[in-house]
Amino acid sequence: MAISLKLNGKTHEVEAEPGTPLLWVIRDELKLTGTKFGCGVASCGACTVHMNGEPVRSCQTYIEDVEDAEITTIEKMEEDKVGAAVQQAWLELDVVQCGYCQSGQIMNAVGLLRENAKPTAEEIDDYMYGNACRCATYQRIRAGVQRAAKILEA
């Protein structure tokens, strides 16, 4: 099946079978490897991308469901005001340990800060729930979101 996919501001013509997860098109067809495979069942968040500005799990988002959508991956986040603030906070606070889950963590954190510019610790924890970090850097992730909110205030 041929599909026109708008990804990171560019239109790509891709061939994929119906039912192909967006994750595999992003990684295998378009060679953007920042979005990670974690579980394949939308439980860990490593594959989080934005669809029309909202975080979605690309492992369970099928290619035929995204034809009219704008998809944004971690590779485009540095050009986004909120994305750049989150990445800056992550670097300042050394949030990352192994880093495998961090693209999904960042994509979800950007979604949160777009909805709620000044989240409480509890709101951060609630929103980020479902983004698994095997290194258990949850306190640093929370601090990173709080720091990004302060960067955006300035």
Side-chain angles (χ1 to χ4, degrees), residues 2-106:
I3 189 164
S4 181
L5 178 65
K6 191 169 183 185
L7 183 85
N8 294 338
K10 296 179 182 173
T11 301
H12 303 270
E13 300 298 324
V14 296
E15 285 285 332
E17 292 295 319
T20 300
L22 175 61
L23 172 66
W24 299 122
V25 173
I26 292 169
R27 289 183 60 81
D28 295 345
E29 298 296 320
L30 300 175
K31 307 300 183 201
L32 296 174
T33 58
T35 304
K36 304 297 185 199
F37 173 78
C39 67
V41 294
S43 291
C44 74
C47 68
T48 302
V49 298
H50 289 180
M51 183 165 71
N52 298 325
E54 298 291 324
V56 297
R57 305 297 200 247
S58 63
C59 72
Q60 291 293 305
T61 301
Y62 301 107
I63 193 66
E64 62 268 23
D65 298 329
V66 301
E67 188 162 16
D68 295 322
E70 171 64 42
I71 306 300
T72 307
T73 67
I74 190 69
E75 286 86 357
K76 189 76 168 174
M77 279 296 103
E78 67 184 13
E79 297 174 24
D80 176 90
K81 179 181 177 181
V82 178
V86 172
Q87 289 179 333
Q88 178 184 337
W90 253 236
L91 290 171
E92 284 180 14
L93 299 178
D94 200 21
V95 170
V96 177
Q97 188 162 323
C98 84
Y100 194 82
C101 69
Q102 293 304 307
S103 62
Q105 300 283 358
I106 289 169

